[in-house]
Structures are given as C-alpha cells and as structure tokens.
C-alpha cells in the first residue's frame, strides 16, 4: 500500500517536472518543414534546464523501480 502511494506521488512529480521543462519541439518542426535549424547542433543544458533534466531522470528511474517492485510484491 505504501509503494502504491509513493508511485502516485512520483508520477505526479514526474508530470509536473516534465511540464516545467523548456520546449524543444521547435527544432523538430523546422526539420519536418525543411526550414533551416540547429536540430543537430550540440547544445549543452545549463542552469535550471540541467537541474530539471536530472530530476526527470531520477524520477523516471524511481517510477520504473517502484512499478517493478509493486508488480513483484
């Protein structure tokens, strides 16, 4: 029961963090429409974007671990 509640909290946090991240869809739109873009240019994340990306990765790993633990138990 505790794992289920924890999974719901991690899921909500993951959704919120994903919505807070800056959009990166502009490059995809430019690539599909044939406009010039920096789609394949290497752009390093800095500051808040880097922190949000790391939090997202951590929450995603926690989500999958909790889902597996709930399924096994």
């Amino acid at each position: 029961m505790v794992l289920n509640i924890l999974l719901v909290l991690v899921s909500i946090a993951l959704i919120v963090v994903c919505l807070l991240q800056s959009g990166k869809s502009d490059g995809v739109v430019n690539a599909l429409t044939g406009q010039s873009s920096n789609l394949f240019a290497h752009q390093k994340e800095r500051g808040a974007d880097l922190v949000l990306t790391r939090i997202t990765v951590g929450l995603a790993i926690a989500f999958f671990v909790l889902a597996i633990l709930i399924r096994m138990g």
Side-chain angles (χ1 to χ4, degrees):
M1 187 67 182
V2 174
L3 289 178
N4 289 333
I5 295 171
L6 195 57
L7 183 66
V8 170
L9 293 175
V10 168
S11 300
I12 292 170
L14 187 59
I15 291 169
V16 169
V17 171
C18 285
L19 290 175
L20 287 175
Q21 290 183 355
S22 61
K24 298 179 180 85
S25 63
D26 187 35
V28 176
V29 171
N30 288 341
L32 293 176
T33 60
Q35 298 175 1
S36 63
S37 67
N38 296 348
L39 179 62
F40 299 108
H42 183 66
Q43 298 176 355
K44 293 184 86 172
E45 295 176 330
R46 294 192 171 115
D49 285 336
L50 180 62
V51 172
L52 286 175
T53 301
R54 289 183 178 169
I55 291 173
T56 304
V57 170
L59 286 172
I61 291 170
F63 176 84
F64 283 108
V65 168
L66 285 171
I68 291 170
L69 288 175
I70 289 171
R71 181 65 184 146
M72 289 174 58

